[in-house]
Amino acid sequence: MKKLTIIKALVASVAIVMGVNINANAQLGGLVKAAKGKAQQNKQNEAPKTDYFALKIPQRDANASPCVFDLKDQNAVCMWDPTQLELTILAERGGHKANDVYKLDPATGKFTNSKGESKGSISEDGTVVTPNFGKLMIEPDDQGKYKYYIHWGNTYPGYIELSKNNAVGCKCLKDGISTPWSICRTDDKTVNPLLVTYICYLMYTPSEVWILRKGYDPDKKYTSDELDDLIEWNDQESIDKIIKYESSLPYAGFREKHPEFKNCKIGGIGLMESQWNDGNNWWYIDYWVVYELADGRNIMTISTARKKFRYGDVENRYRQNEDRFHEVIDWKRK
């Protein structure tokens, strides 16, 4: 009952701030649409201000408008109300339930839910804490005030940036691709980068961010049928050349990091392209390989075989993703 009262209060405050006429049966979806429209109007009418991007804990602003946050694969996941310093979850995501409300204490930077339970914090020294990621740090780009790099332990999952059209977003780079992906954004340029970072890493989980950056799910397990679906070419001569090279590598070439590959056997090869590609100095093709480990597990990884000459032997293996290994749960050993 208390949560329902909070939600109704939020809806009423949003309506007042935006000047929207609603009745008792108005849907939250309509308010989300109105908030997005108001943010777009503000973006067109106001000139950019660099102080928006200073690391400051948000304070109540009776004249501000609510803003909605979108993720890369899902729109309207949460709404920030600067008049109440409240974040309303709109979609079940990242372990959070729709209609949960997290309130910010402007003095301490701490977030709590309606029960008073901690939901992380933000600090003007650049520290951001979320339930899913723990402690993150953001620091400004040396080139100006419109970009902040995000650090999570020894990793660099992304950065916060004010784009040319004044939208604020959290971006990340997929390995091997130079163009950054916007994984969390809002059209309201006045939202502080501390808050953007908090929301992004509140709504995502570490495994989801890993998948966005690496392009695969490290926890996925494959079936034999799924491996068959990846095959594009059944050229036995090419398969034999790859097996010959793979079999020449003690520990399958992973001795340093994966001693469990000792005495493993090549269980199968699948060509994932329909031909060898001409790479100027190399001919190459992607393939999956199943290693039959001595401990009984059957482990698949994806690599690229390379050779100097079109009809020559495989001379080199390039692994596209370091430590990308998946168990094959129904592999039948011959």
Side-chain angles (χ1 to χ4, degrees):
M1 195 68 185
K2 184 177 181 181
K3 181 181 293 184
L4 182 60
T5 302
I6 292 174
I7 298 299
K8 286 184 177 180
L10 173 66
V11 170
S13 65
V14 170
I16 294 171
V17 170
M18 294 187 299
V20 179
N21 292 321
I22 62 171
N23 55 44
N25 296 318
Q27 298 297 311
L28 188 58
L31 294 176
V32 169
K33 183 176 180 181
K36 285 201 168 196
K38 188 69 174 179
Q40 184 67 25
Q41 179 183 342
N42 290 343
K43 184 172 67 175
Q44 294 172 349
N45 294 339
E46 298 178 13
K49 297 181 180 179
T50 58
D51 60 347
Y52 288 158
F53 239 48
L55 297 184
K56 299 292 184 182
I57 296 175
Q59 303 295 306
R60 283 190 178 85
D61 186 349
N63 298 316
S65 302
C67 62
V68 176
F69 281 80
D70 300 330
L71 300 186
K72 182 180 183 297
D73 61 348
Q74 189 175 3
N75 292 333
V77 295
C78 60
M79 181 166 63
W80 170 250
D81 181 4
T83 68
Q84 302 298 319
L85 298 182
E86 292 180 344
L87 181 71
T88 301
I89 308 300
L90 303 176
E92 191 164 321
R93 184 73 188 244
H96 311 285
K97 296 180 179 179
N99 295 330
D100 281 350
V101 177
Y102 300 157
K103 192 173 186 65
L104 172 67
D105 183 335
T108 65
K110 295 181 179 180
F111 284 90
T112 53
N113 63 12
S114 58
K115 297 179 181 179
E117 299 168 334
S118 174
K119 289 298 175 180
S121 63
I122 56 178
S123 174
E124 294 182 357
D125 67 358
T127 302
V128 176
V129 178
T130 71
N132 290 336
F133 282 80
K135 180 180 176 181
L136 303 110
M137 290 293 299
I138 63 175
E139 60 180 13
D141 177 21
D142 292 338
Q143 303 302 316
K145 299 180 180 180
Y146 300 104
K147 188 174 183 179
Y148 287 90
Y149 293 108
I150 302 168
H151 298 275
W152 183 42
N154 295 323
T155 65
Y156 160 55
Y159 59 91
I160 304 296
E161 185 177 51
L162 179 65
S163 65
K164 293 180 179 179
N165 65 355
N166 291 333
V168 179
C170 181
K171 298 184 177 182
C172 76
L173 283 171
K174 182 176 179 181
D175 286 9
I177 296 179
S178 59
T179 303
W181 291 4
S182 180
I183 62 173
C184 179
R185 71 185 298 277
T186 180
D187 288 330
D188 191 336
K189 64 180 178 295
T190 67
V191 181
N192 192 276
L194 286 170
L195 183 61
V196 178
T197 305
Y198 172 81
I199 289 174
C200 179
Y201 293 95
L202 177 80
M203 303 307 295
Y204 280 109
T205 64
S207 62
E208 288 174 325
V209 171
W210 173 280
I211 293 170
L212 286 169
R213 295 183 62 208
K214 300 291 186 178
Y216 68 92
D217 182 353
D219 298 322
K220 178 176 175 55
K221 295 184 178 181
Y222 280 83
T223 64
S224 298
D225 285 343
E226 287 176 318
L227 292 185
D228 287 342
D229 289 341
L230 297 176
I231 295 176
E232 294 292 334
W233 192 27
N234 285 312
D235 182 63
Q236 193 60 47
E237 180 181 356
S238 297
I239 292 173
D240 289 343
K241 289 182 177 180
I242 294 173
I243 290 177
K244 179 182 178 181
Y245 177 79
E246 285 276 354
S247 299
S248 71
L249 302 173
Y251 293 77
F254 309 124
R255 184 197 302 264
E256 297 298 324
K257 290 187 176 182
H258 299 283
E260 68 272 19
F261 276 73
K262 182 179 181 180
N263 298 325
C264 70
K265 297 180 179 179
I266 307 301
I269 298 284
L271 303 177
M272 298 173 63
E273 298 182 270
S274 60
Q275 63 181 3
W276 287 86
N277 303 289
D278 185 356
N280 292 324
N281 294 327
W282 292 94
W283 290 84
Y284 64 92
I285 191 169
D286 293 342
Y287 66 96
W288 56 255
V289 54
V290 175
Y291 301 107
E292 297 176 350
L293 273 57
D295 63 11
R297 290 179 297 155
N298 303 298
I299 303 297
M300 182 274 279
T301 192
I302 295 174
S303 299
T304 302
R306 302 198 298 182
K307 56 185 182 179
K308 282 285 188 181
F309 306 103
R310 184 169 187 173
Y311 300 104
D313 290 332
V314 174
E315 300 180 33
N316 190 294
R317 179 183 68 190
Y318 172 71
R319 295 205 58 228
Q320 295 173 300
N321 297 100
E322 185 179 3
D323 289 332
R324 177 178 180 176
F325 295 106
H326 304 276
E327 185 174 356
V328 185
I329 57 177
D330 62 348
W331 184 258
K332 303 296 183 182
R333 297 188 178 188
K334 296 179 181 179

